[in-house]
Amino acid sequence: MAEQGNGQGWTQRTRMAAAGRRPREQFGYVNTPIYRGSTVLFPTYADLAARTGRFSYGTAGTPTTQALEEAWSELSGAETTVLTPSGLAAIAVALMTATAAGDHVLVMDSVYRPTRQFCDTMLARFGVAVTYFDPMLPADEVRALVRPETRAMMLEAPGSQSFEVPDLPAIVALARERDLCTILDNTWATPVFLAPHALGIDLAIEAGTKYLSGHSDLLMGLVSANAAWAKRLRATFDSFAILPGPEDVFLALRGFRTLDLRLREAERQGLAMARWFKARPEVARVLHPALPDCPGHGNWARDFRGSTGLFSVLLHPAPVAAVAAMLDGLRLFGMGYSWGGYESLVIPFDCAGYRSATRWRSDGPALRFSIGLEDVADLQADLDSGFARLRAAC
Ligand SMILES: *Cc1c(COP(=O)(O)O)cnc(C)c1O
């Protein structure tokens, strides 16, 4: 079979089956195995002095990490990809790549909450100032927030918990005009449904913990860069040398092979459940980018190739005890953080306490659902009983 890099003309799905594989270097075995190691031996003094060979030391990568990096770069349309031990570490590496003391960064108000925490604590300590902005603010109004020392924009689409879909092409155009580095947390769509670098994004982040793993059994982050930012990303990454373990890289690469298939199913399941919620009398609003109710739905329809299984549901006003009765009795929906696994999850949330450029509005309790691979009819029956408990306690 052809080795990696001969995929011109193939569709994305086909390239995802072929990317990052080098069977001839692995005795013909289909998958690159788990390489464990710190030391790489050089055969001669001259080889050591010249650092010949693809690998030189554990922190500089192994055939296992290279396979996932190459596969991810191919899917993302990126020049390079680095792997980190969590999604949050990927965000930290990207922000440290794009900023220096004295800089100013524009950050979407709807970013993942720990991203905000990193900006307000670590970036602040290193002398980087931050301004939050409304993800739905027109680019012309965002322009007014750009200062002479502004260097980067931290974006997320759709927003965490609240699912606003910003006008990414307009924001990227503004960033280009003012020479700002654009960082996009693309975890929800993954590069399967939003090709970040084709859109002009400089650094794209994926929490591989979510759909890439798909099984709630590992933590992983990926940062991909276009040609302009590849060297600087790699240099920042090399300075930190924070690496995921080889078993997790192997499992993430295994997840990569079925990512397209699993996301298409997540889309189907997610839409079926979102539409079902929308028809429920207990539900005030469903925030799902593929439904017209969602702020920025038009942006989603224009820029994204699909939707996934994570969305929010705003209930009509109900006491906390009634929501607890609803959630505590669920048999198929686990209550816990993270998402994108094969099993369905739910968490209650409230953004009111930590948004600063926007005001979070929900008259009633808000729930975020991650729809897994269970049968939709069983999930609906479970929630039907849940809603009965909610009504009984109202
Ligand atoms: C979960 C998540 C992260 C962080 O990933 P971890 O691996 O849990 O650190 C980053 N961004 C988004 C949008 C997430 O949902």
Side-chain angles (χ1 to χ4, degrees):
M1 82 166 265
E3 296 282 302
Q4 143 96 15
N6 294 337
Q8 285 91 353
W10 290 342
T11 65
Q12 178 174 282
R13 267 182 96 143
T14 305
R15 284 187 283 115
M16 287 177 76
R21 287 171 53 199
R22 290 187 158 90
R24 275 179 225 155
E25 294 177 18
Q26 315 299 339
F27 305 98
Y29 278 93
V30 169
N31 297 297
T32 305
I34 296 172
Y35 280 80
R36 304 188 55 89
S38 50
T39 303
V40 177
L41 300 175
F42 297 88
T44 67
Y45 180 98
D47 287 311
L48 177 69
R51 284 202 165 212
T52 56
R54 261 210 328 272
F55 303 100
S56 57
Y57 185 61
T59 54
T62 67
T64 315
T65 59
Q66 177 183 263
L68 179 57
E69 288 174 0
E70 283 181 356
W72 197 257
S73 291
E74 165 110 25
L75 172 63
S76 307
E79 178 76 14
T80 199
T81 297
V82 301
L83 310 178
T84 58
S86 70
L88 187 56
I91 290 163
V93 164
L95 283 165
M96 296 301 262
T97 298
T99 58
D103 289 352
H104 171 246
V105 185
L106 288 169
V107 179
M108 269 183 185
D109 206 34
S110 48
V111 292
Y112 178 61
R113 190 178 184 176
T115 301
R116 210 179 165 101
Q117 178 79 6
F118 184 84
C119 291
D120 293 344
T121 57
M122 294 303 286
L123 284 190
R125 265 173 56 191
F126 286 91
V128 177
V130 172
T131 301
Y132 292 96
F133 69 100
D134 181 344
M136 299 314 291
L137 199 64
D140 274 341
E141 291 177 47
V142 179
R143 184 182 284 106
L145 303 173
V146 178
R147 305 179 191 166
E149 68 276 20
T150 308
R151 291 286 173 274
M153 290 177 115
M154 177 75 217
L155 318 168
E156 188 171 323
S160 268
Q161 325 277 42
S162 45
F163 292 91
E164 305 93 336
V165 185
D167 185 346
L168 288 173
I171 290 169
V172 166
L174 164 65
R176 285 278 159 94
E177 171 198 314
R178 304 300 291 264
D179 205 19
L180 312 180
C181 176
T182 44
I183 308 171
L184 173 69
D185 187 332
N186 195 30
T187 300
W188 181 83
T190 85
V192 172
F193 286 153
L194 186 82
H197 303 296
L199 213 66
I201 294 294
D202 294 309
L203 299 170
I205 284 145
E206 184 76 22
T209 308
K210 313 293 167 56
Y211 280 120
L212 179 59
S213 141
H215 292 74
S216 308
D217 57 2
L218 63 86
L219 292 157
M220 170 86 53
L222 306 95
V223 191
S224 61
N226 60 12
W229 285 87
K231 261 204 177 125
R232 186 141 176 192
L233 170 65
R234 186 60 65 179
T236 308
F237 174 75
D238 287 346
S239 306
F240 283 110
I242 41 167
L243 314 154
E247 285 83 4
D248 291 343
V249 176
F250 181 86
L251 284 174
L253 189 55
R254 173 187 261 240
F256 180 87
R257 302 301 175 196
T258 56
L259 181 61
D260 184 285
L261 183 69
R262 288 185 290 105
L263 284 181
R264 280 168 213 290
E265 190 60 12
E267 174 168 48
R268 221 172 55 85
Q269 296 265 107
L271 278 170
M273 292 303 295
R275 292 190 176 120
W276 180 83
F277 276 116
K278 206 165 148 42
R280 293 288 313 195
E282 301 87 350
V283 171
R285 215 168 154 197
V286 177
L287 300 174
H288 183 302
L291 298 189
D293 265 13
C294 197
H297 165 72
N299 295 330
W300 172 83
R302 183 192 59 202
D303 300 331
F304 289 64
R305 287 190 293 243
S307 62
T308 56
L310 186 81
F311 59 89
S312 290
V313 172
L314 310 185
L315 303 179
H316 289 301
V320 172
V323 179
M326 174 187 175
L327 300 188
D328 287 348
L330 293 174
R331 295 165 64 204
L332 290 174
F333 288 85
M335 243 187 297
Y337 294 100
S338 203
W339 48 275
Y342 60 85
E343 81 294 5
S344 291
L345 295 172
V346 60
I347 50 158
F349 71 92
D350 183 358
C351 308
Y354 60 92
R355 298 279 166 90
S356 57
T358 54
R359 250 191 73 208
W360 169 246
R361 277 196 196 84
S362 177
D363 294 333
L367 303 173
R368 190 193 68 182
F369 287 91
S370 176
I371 305 302
L373 297 174
E374 303 91 342
D375 199 301
V376 159
D378 291 332
L379 293 176
Q380 291 171 356
D382 196 22
L383 288 163
D384 206 39
S385 314
F387 278 131
R389 288 190 297 276
L390 177 88
R391 285 195 309 271
C394 272

